[in-house]
């Protein structure tokens, strides 16, 4: 398959999957519940954080997170009491538990109160060709507060070799202007051209079958390899191909 044929094939799949019906079975439905920017950010970040495993369970547990915050995420983050945090202790999604949830709420408050919010942190450290440094710096700032060491594993660091799939997915949600009603596009200070495809088992396997990826591990090096290929296909909006790779893998068993 030539580059031109591959682009045409993947562009068709983007058109097929990048539409509102995609939302019905995806965690992106959680931030879509809100209209306030900060509510969308917090709902999206928390939903992305627990986005591994069974998708129905992810969505169910993400809804539970919103319920535990009174369906007002930003207000809860900024004005919670210690009693409010106690109700989070019962939450569990795989290895993410109530103590982690508690820490995330306190860390988010720290970011909004002392660092002018999530977008400000990610925008401040963006580089000319990727968001990898931004994610790494976000993690440092996120864990400036007192926390349990175990909670750090729930925020990936691409500079330590991780593909940081969940945070790249969140960045797609927040930064990409898709005009299709799926990605939210609430962050205007970060260009979609800098975004990376959320690399997981499904997208990685499809990318290898299509010759977009050679490296076997789904890590930061593989992500860089995939980035280069996808930016050849569309330098302005490379991460749109996440819809194609994901759809081919999950919905079509490609």
């Amino acid at each position: 398959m030539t580059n031109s044929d591959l682009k045409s094939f993947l562009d068709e799949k983007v058109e097929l999957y990048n539409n509102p019906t995609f939302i019905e079975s995806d965690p992106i439905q959680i931030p879509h519940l809100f209209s306030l920017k900060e509510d969308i950010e917090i709902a999206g970040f928390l939903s992305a954080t627990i986005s591994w495993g069974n998708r129905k369970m992810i969505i169910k547990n993400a809804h539970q997170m919103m319920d535990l915050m009174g369906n007002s995420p930003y207000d809860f983050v900024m004005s919670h009491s210690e009693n409010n945090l106690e109700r989070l202790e019962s939450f569990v999604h795989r290895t993410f538990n109530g103590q982690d949830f508690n820490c995330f709420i306190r860390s988010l408050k720290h970011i909004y109160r002392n660092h002018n919010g999530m977008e400000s942190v990610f925008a401040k450290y963006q580089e000319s060709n990727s968001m990898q440094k931004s994610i790494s710096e976000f993690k440092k700032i996120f864990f400036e507060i007192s926390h349990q060491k175990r909670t750090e594993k729930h925020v990936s660091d691409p500079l330590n070799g991780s593909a940081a799939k969940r945070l790249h997915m969140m960045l797609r949600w927040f930064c990409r202007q898709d005009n299709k009603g799926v990605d939210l596009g609430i962050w205007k200070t970060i260009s979609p051209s800098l975004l990376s495809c959320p690399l997981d088992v499904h997208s990685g396997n499809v990318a290898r079958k299509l010759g977009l990826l050679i490296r076997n591990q789904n890590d930061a090096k593989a992500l860089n390899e995939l980035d280069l290929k996808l930016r050849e296909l569309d330098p302005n909006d490379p991460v749109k191909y996440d819809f194609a790779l994901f759809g081919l893998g999950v919905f079509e068993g490609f």
Side-chain angles (χ1 to χ4, degrees), residues 54-241:
N54 179 276
R55 294 174 83 212
K56 288 184 179 179
M57 187 59 69
I58 292 165
I59 293 166
K60 175 179 177 289
N61 287 341
H63 275 292
Q64 185 188 358
M65 291 176 115
M66 300 307 109
D67 289 342
L68 287 167
M69 294 186 291
N71 290 300
S72 298
Y74 182 61
D75 182 60
F76 185 88
V77 163
M78 300 308 292
S79 60
H80 63 265
S81 66
E82 287 304 311
N83 286 341
N84 295 144
L85 292 180
E86 286 179 8
R87 79 168 84 137
L88 309 184
E89 292 294 330
S90 62
F91 181 82
V92 61
H93 177 83
R94 300 184 70 125
T95 63
F96 186 93
N97 64 23
Q99 292 178 335
D100 300 319
F101 195 0
N102 190 312
C103 175
F104 268 51
I105 297 302
R106 290 185 288 106
S107 292
L108 284 166
K109 182 174 183 178
H110 167 68
I111 288 210
Y112 283 102
R113 176 170 285 178
N114 301 307
H115 294 278
N116 200 31
M118 291 180 65
E119 180 179 6
S120 178
V121 175
F122 279 95
K124 180 178 180 180
Y125 296 102
Q126 63 184 306
E127 296 182 302
S128 61
N129 62 343
S130 83
M131 294 300 294
Q132 313 295 26
K133 183 180 179 184
S134 284
I135 293 174
S136 182
E137 293 297 328
F138 172 78
K139 178 170 185 172
K140 290 178 189 173
I141 292 168
F142 195 75
F143 290 113
E144 283 176 344
I145 68 164
S146 175
H147 64 279
Q148 291 187 4
K149 184 73 176 174
R150 68 176 304 282
T151 302
E152 292 181 14
K153 68 185 176 186
H154 294 297
V155 182
S156 300
D157 185 348
L159 299 190
N160 283 338
S162 170
K165 172 247 178 179
R166 288 166 285 168
L167 285 170
H168 282 300
M169 180 176 71
M170 181 196 78
L171 288 171
R172 194 203 86 207
W173 294 353
F174 294 167
C175 303
R176 185 169 175 269
Q177 317 290 323
D178 75 355
N179 301 315
K180 298 291 182 69
V182 183
D183 289 326
L184 295 139
I186 57 169
W187 288 2
K188 311 299 185 185
T189 55
I190 297 168
S191 169
S193 65
L194 301 181
L195 302 181
S196 295
C197 185
L199 180 59
D200 62 9
V201 172
H202 301 294
S203 58
N205 288 344
V206 173
R208 291 180 186 94
K209 288 179 181 178
L210 292 172
L212 293 167
L213 185 56
I214 296 172
R215 186 171 174 82
N216 288 323
Q217 298 98 314
N218 292 325
D219 58 9
K221 289 182 179 178
L223 186 65
N224 182 60
E225 184 184 334
L226 183 60
D227 279 348
L228 294 173
K229 290 286 190 180
L230 296 182
R231 286 169 188 172
E232 286 178 12
L233 300 178
D234 190 335
N236 296 317
D237 188 18
V239 78
K240 74 181 185 184
Y241 293 113

